[in-house]
Amino acid sequence: MTLDPIKGDKLSPRYEGPYTVERRTSHGSYVLRDGTGAPLKRHFAPSQLKLVLEDIPDTPTFTVKKLLGHRDSSKVPGTKDYEVQWKDYDVITWEHEGHFVERQCIRDYWDEQAKKEGTTLPTSPTQSSTPDTVPTLLPNTPTKRVSKRQRL
């Protein structure tokens, strides 16, 4: 697992992951791969890594094609729900930010919103915590995943 450099507040998860170590570079940093086998964009210092030794069960996930909109969550005050267009499905649903396995698609959504409005982003786009409750993260792939178990 890696230290989250864009941690929103003290209640946000500190680490993202898990990832697989591909190799150690000559300068001592590590090259990591995500759940699909794609290499991450940057290298990580040992101080930014946390060793995880448990076996991770296979959890069914769905791939997000695009986030279409957002709204304040009616179930959890201070958090957001996102309108999700699913890859390979014709269904559009609203999902709570806590249901996302990883937050890169949310960051990309807020980057896109900032470009449309011509403003800068807040330090925490969702202004709340987004727990990484399912262990499969795919931050550098064009599509994002959400756990089926959490899509209720």
Side-chain angles (χ1 to χ4, degrees):
M1 297 184 73
T2 63
L3 193 61
D4 184 3
I6 310 175
K7 182 178 172 229
D9 57 25
K10 67 180 181 180
L11 298 177
S12 296
R14 198 181 248 318
Y15 290 91
E16 290 183 336
Y19 301 107
T20 304
V21 175
E22 179 180 327
R23 64 183 171 88
R24 185 174 180 185
T25 66
S26 60
H27 299 288
S29 63
Y30 288 89
V31 177
L32 304 179
R33 292 194 172 274
D34 63 15
T36 63
L40 299 183
K41 292 180 182 178
R42 67 182 201 87
H43 299 177
F44 292 86
S47 62
Q48 295 177 315
L49 301 177
K50 180 178 181 181
L51 181 62
V52 178
L53 296 175
E54 63 186 61
D55 287 333
I56 300 165
D58 290 332
T59 304
T61 58
F62 294 93
T63 304
V64 174
K65 183 175 182 180
K66 185 177 183 180
L67 294 180
L68 303 174
H70 71 279
R71 66 181 180 197
D72 291 332
S73 176
S74 59
K75 295 180 181 179
V76 183
T79 61
K80 302 273 187 223
D81 292 333
Y82 292 93
E83 188 176 16
V84 180
Q85 180 180 9
W86 300 101
K87 182 179 180 186
D88 300 328
Y89 294 97
D90 293 331
V91 178
I92 295 175
T93 61
W94 285 93
E95 299 295 331
H96 185 267
E97 64 185 31
H99 295 178
F100 289 84
V101 175
E102 53 82 23
R103 295 173 284 176
Q104 186 62 44
C105 60
I106 295 174
R107 289 185 198 119
D108 293 344
Y109 171 78
W110 285 108
D111 286 343
E112 187 178 308
Q113 294 301 310
K115 287 178 186 175
K116 286 181 183 177
E117 297 174 6
T119 60
T120 59
L121 289 176
T123 55
S124 173
T126 60
Q127 297 299 322
S128 68
S129 65
T130 305
D132 293 326
T133 56
V134 180
T136 307
L137 298 182
L138 304 172
N140 294 323
T141 58
T143 57
K144 312 305 180 252
R145 296 186 179 259
V146 175
S147 170
K148 178 179 180 180
R149 182 182 319 152
Q150 296 176 344
R151 288 191 57 230
L152 299 177

